Amino acid sequence: MKAGIIGLPKTGKTTIFNALTRGEQSTDKYAPPSLEANIGVVQVADERIDKLSELYKPKKTIYATIEFHDYPGIFYKESEVSENALLADIKNAEAFILVLRGFRDEELEGLFPLGTPIEQFQHFQEEMLLYDLIMAEKRLEKIELGYKRGVKTPAVQIEEKALLKIRDFLQNNNPLINLELNPEEEKAIRGFQFFSAKPMLILINCNEDNINAWDETLKTFTEKGYYAYTIAGKFEEELSKLENEEAQMFMEDMGISESIRDRLTHWTYQLMGYISFFTVGPDEVRAWTIEKGANAVTAAGKIHSDLARGFIRAECFQYDDLITYGSEKALKEKGLFRLEGKDYIVKDGDILSIRFNV
Ligand SMILES: Nc1nc2c(ncn2[C@@H]2O[C@H](COP(=O)(O)OP(=O)(O)O)[C@@H](O)[C@H]2O)c(=O)[nH]1
Ligand SMILES: [Mg+2]
């Protein structure tokens, strides 16, 4: 999956990206904005995979991953360079991590005054909704033109209906993530990749000594339905350069229980409503990502399209049961080794083996 780290300029996006990826991208205060994203792949830590790997001793152990794209700042005043190409790329992300500047830096505030995190959020959201609105309006105009020329298919009419709802929603300052469309309408507008229709996580980037000062601000965001957290970006960047043991000591001092990688990957999973299922064997132990509520065929398709096409049954048992009873054989004796059909809803921690025939 691909998550975009976005926000106004100089909020600490690249600093957080470096902390996540142990990267060394420039975070020079005076550097002009780059035009391209930094890209890094981060493993989703999962103790269960470690345990399964101990049990099966496979040749390969594969964790789930998230690809983080750290984008240059957007939506700041009138930009000289056109943001269109950049925005087109950003829209491909499945989720957004919006970074707001909570740390104080007099110089930066002189160069790029941004206001409080709430003001930054409001500004960013206005721009985002405007961008979506323009996209919807352009398409509506085209549809109207088509009607005049006598092009009026049922498909276009569904699209128009969806776009009118969208326009209305945006004009009332609502992000599209809260708009409910029927499946037909949903399908008709999927290609637009509206910005505000994507899940978005909010991070207030602050100094390590005033993390707790942001509780009220976080509450404002969570009350709006957002997942919102504080993060001490620069501190985390420094931590990421230390050896594990040393980093652990600093983290304990700060009362931080998980590394920034673990926190951000888990928050992103939560944001997306993702769960993990596993495949195991002597060759490979592997974690797979799937949306909560997905069925066994969808899970099979994650592994390979042939498995979905030729799906017969899923052999299935639970990670927790395996740990409790110690072996697949013991699970079979206990009746905890199941055969499930196409409609089975996959649960977090399921270990699957797909029987198929193509
Ligand atoms: N004090 C402080 N400075 C930070 C923090 N995060 C980033 N900065 C500084 O802010 C400037 C811009 O950071 P950068 O990560 O390049 O921002 P970006 O433009 O959003 O990618 C750099 O000088 C960083 O050192 C932070 O948590 N605390
Ligand atoms: Mg940057």
Side-chain angles (χ1 to χ4, degrees), residues 46 48 269 274-278 318-319 346-350:
D46 193 331
R48 297 173 297 182
Y269 255 53
Y274 283 157
I275 58 171
S276 300
F277 71 92
F278 309 117
Q318 252 291 323
Y319 168 82
V346 175
K347 307 206 169 43
D348 189 46
D350 272 350

Side-chain angles (χ1 to χ4, degrees), residues 9-15 27 29 103 108 205-207 233-234:
K10 311 285 178 194
T11 57
K13 298 179 294 300
T14 302
T15 304
T27 54
K29 220 181 264 186
F103 62 89
L108 270 184
N205 182 23
C206 52
N207 284 340
K234 203 164 178 174

Side-chain angles (χ1 to χ4, degrees), residues 163-180:
L163 286 168
L164 288 171
K165 283 188 196 169
I166 284 172
R167 185 173 71 182
D168 213 45
F169 212 71
L170 291 167
Q171 279 171 340
N172 287 311
N173 280 326
N174 291 312
L176 295 175
I177 187 128
N178 300 324
L179 175 66
E180 284 194 24

